[in-house]
Amino acid sequence: MIYSILDTDLYKFTTSYAYIKLFPNAQGTFTFTDRDHTVYSDRFLAELKDAIDNMQRIALTGDELEYMTQSCRFLPRVYWEWLSSFRFQPEKVKISLDEERHLHMEVTDYMYKVTLYEVPLLALVSEVKNQVSGNVPDPAEVTARLIDKVALSNRHHLSFSEFGTRRRFSFEVHDTVIGYLKQHAQYCTGTSNCYFAMKYGMRPMGTHPHEWFMFHGAQFGYKHANYMALENWVNVYDGDLGTALSDTYTTDAFLSNLSRKQAKLFDGVRCDSGNEFEFTDRLIARYQEFGIDPTTKTIIFSNALDFPKALDIQRFCEGRIRCAFGIGTNLTNDTGFKPANIVMKLTRCRMTPHQEWRECVKLSDDEGKHLGSSEEVKELSEEDKKKAFPFQNPWKKLAIVLGGPGFNYLFAIIVFTLMFAFLGKFSFPPVVGEVV
């Protein structure tokens, strides 16, 4: 199930190091959520506990240390040397079933350590659930489902990365998928999973997660969370890992907080919720307000994508802004069985062990992805809600989306009207030159 500490997403390590450098005494709690409210069995709970107990045997090997040191120049060797001494502590994972047989799981520790639990725990829940349910995928069918997806990517030059660790069907299915992508996908730019990146000689991909913004929101206030989270990321990585996550407190808040310096410095933005086409129009308009050529920037789309939808988005972006895609569950859990709809998010944090806990909130562009108590969500002031895009009425949303493109057309009409009015129409009269 989990055989290596590298069997996780790269951004877990980059975020862990950022906590060490800036907030070494901060603590946090990650809490599991099953969006489908699945009913679990006692057998499932027992097998999950056994799998979590086995995590304590995992340690970074010497070969893994050397690989990560060479492959991730933005993380210093001292971090990987510290990680080689790190061990998961199963006793820190509190796990139980309630009266309705719903799974409750949370883990608390220092932020630079607790962040490392999220992805492996989610992968274990998904795999154990499939085992207990008797779901056995057909390897030939798993490969067959990949053929059309990879062919579409190759045919349309569609760049994508594999982002599917946390909700994969199993380690074995994940391994099969990465092996096929490495051999056949011409435009697969890498994988977020460091273990498989090492095994198959692929590029490890990733920047930062929602938790980084949620931590800043809880500690410094929601109005300033996006700006401060990006500034602190730059303080740690000095321009590396330059893809900004946009939707922790809605895209409207992100675009409002985004400074010209950040817009120029970051290579692009990741869109992980909401309407991708509306987001593209709004981000392009924001870049244009800053005097930045959108075609020099990239949007990474990663919201529950499949390949046909990714192609539609690519066509919409063509000639306007660069785009690439992070595709997860559609690759690593497309087996004919229903994938788990599970997340594990930062729900509380404190700057030091002596500070009282503060609740963390995520206010996504998709209502189903909101996280946090209703009381804490209400802390977003009425003034913020008046400005936030998800709280607008449909007509105002339409006006906002069409405003940027509409102004571009209007501006072009005005420019050409003035040019023809004052400069006239250029023409070349048919005058016969010298006759020889």
Side-chain angles (χ1 to χ4, degrees), residues 119-291:
V119 174
L121 288 178
L122 288 172
L124 286 179
V125 170
S126 180
E127 184 162 357
V128 171
K129 175 176 176 287
N130 283 312
Q131 278 192 353
V132 171
S133 300
N135 298 335
V136 180
D138 179 354
E141 184 177 353
V142 171
T143 301
R145 288 170 182 256
L146 287 170
I147 293 174
D148 288 342
K149 299 172 185 178
V150 170
L152 182 149
S153 169
N154 291 344
R155 186 165 60 251
H156 296 283
H157 302 188
L158 190 149
S159 296
F160 71 95
S161 299
E162 182 277 316
F163 276 16
T165 302
R166 67 191 58 220
R167 285 184 284 270
R168 69 191 182 193
F169 184 92
S170 67
F171 176 89
E172 288 72 19
V173 167
H174 198 174
D175 194 7
T176 298
V177 169
I178 296 294
Y180 186 89
L181 295 179
K182 173 63 177 178
Q183 185 174 0
H184 299 284
Q186 300 171 20
Y187 295 93
C188 179
T189 55
T191 171
S192 63
N193 186 291
C194 297
Y195 173 82
F196 287 119
M198 177 179 174
K199 178 177 180 178
Y200 288 100
M202 299 174 74
R203 182 182 177 188
M205 307 290 289
T207 55
H208 49 228
H210 291 104
E211 78 181 73
W212 183 248
F213 296 82
M214 295 167 71
F215 174 84
H216 283 77
Q219 294 299 323
F220 305 111
Y222 305 121
K223 285 186 177 181
H224 308 291
N226 285 312
Y227 178 82
M228 291 193 66
L230 294 181
E231 286 296 294
N232 278 333
W233 197 255
V234 172
N235 290 339
V236 176
Y237 290 109
D238 199 28
D240 283 326
L241 303 171
T243 301
L245 186 56
S246 64
D247 70 327
T248 308
Y249 298 115
T250 75
T251 295
D252 188 75
F254 172 81
L255 293 177
S256 176
N257 291 158
L258 186 67
S259 69
R260 187 173 186 274
K261 180 188 81 171
Q262 292 170 344
K264 289 178 70 68
L265 180 62
F266 279 81
D267 300 322
V269 174
R270 181 157 75 95
C271 172
D272 195 49
S273 65
N275 183 299
E276 291 86 355
F277 304 97
E278 293 178 359
F279 177 85
T280 300
D281 284 337
R282 297 183 68 201
L283 183 62
I284 288 174
R286 187 62 167 154
Y287 279 135
Q288 290 172 336
E289 289 175 14
F290 286 134

Side-chain angles (χ1 to χ4, degrees), residues 390-401:
F391 294 100
Q392 307 305 317
N393 65 60
W395 291 109
K396 191 169 183 180
K397 287 183 180 180
L398 181 63
I400 292 171
V401 171

